[in-house]
Structures are given as structure tokens and as C-alpha cells.
Amino acid sequence: MQFKIGRQVFDSHCSGCHRRGENIIEPNMPLRNAPQLHDFAEFLAFIRNPRMPDGSPGVMPQFGSDRISDLHARELFDYLNFAFVASNRPASAQ
């Protein structure tokens, strides 16, 4: 199954607040099409030390490499881009 590990990481660590690509804590900042999903290095830095747009800490916990390894972070990034970034999905999946 494609994206199996990424989906498992999402289900374990992210889906509580980000189901269906939404954000139940900050509804105006959905995961779907988030700017952090444009670049893996930016995504990895964000999950390691999440910040609000103004640079202040938000409520999202930090996911250190002891919780989500760099390899699993890459799998998660790939899954999120497939599942929640419309421009990356094949036309048949949109």
C-alpha cells in the first residue's frame, strides 16, 4: 500500500487535531495546503519546532526525532502531500 508508513504516522500523531487536513485548534490554519508542505526541510524544521506565523510557539507539540524519525517524517511529508495538497494528487483522486 502506497504511503502506508506516512499514513500510520499521521494516524498516530496528527489525526487528532488534523483529521481530513483540517486544524481543530486553529481552524483558520488548516493542514491542507499548508506552506510547510512545499519543502521537506521546512516541514521537518516545523514539526521539530512548530511556530505560529508571528514566530511565537503555538499549541502543536514538538515532534523530536525520538518521536518521529527523519525517515518517518519523510514518509509523513509524502503522505500529507498526496492526501492534502490538491496540486500533488492525480486528477482521478481529486
Side-chain angles (χ1 to χ4, degrees):
M1 177 174 146
Q2 189 177 19
F3 305 113
K4 180 180 180 181
I5 293 171
R7 183 172 182 158
Q8 288 173 340
V9 174
F10 178 79
D11 288 346
S12 296
H13 296 290
C14 313
S15 64
C17 293
H18 295 292
R19 71 179 156 257
R20 295 185 309 277
E22 299 166 355
N23 184 333
I24 65 169
I25 306 295
E26 296 284 344
N28 61 329
M29 298 175 65
L31 177 61
R32 186 176 305 281
N33 294 318
Q36 294 85 358
L37 296 178
H38 295 261
D39 175 76
F40 176 67
E42 184 178 347
F43 172 77
L44 184 61
F46 182 78
I47 67 168
R48 299 290 187 239
N49 189 23
R51 294 283 181 235
M52 298 297 287
D54 67 3
S56 66
V59 298
M60 182 174 154
Q62 294 181 352
F63 290 98
S65 59
D66 59 324
R67 293 182 69 194
I68 299 177
S69 70
D70 288 358
L71 180 62
H72 281 178
R74 182 66 206 208
E75 295 283 343
L76 175 61
F77 176 79
D78 291 344
Y79 169 71
L80 294 174
N81 269 284
F82 175 78
F84 301 124
V85 178
S87 63
N88 292 338
R89 286 194 307 264
S92 61
Q94 293 186 26

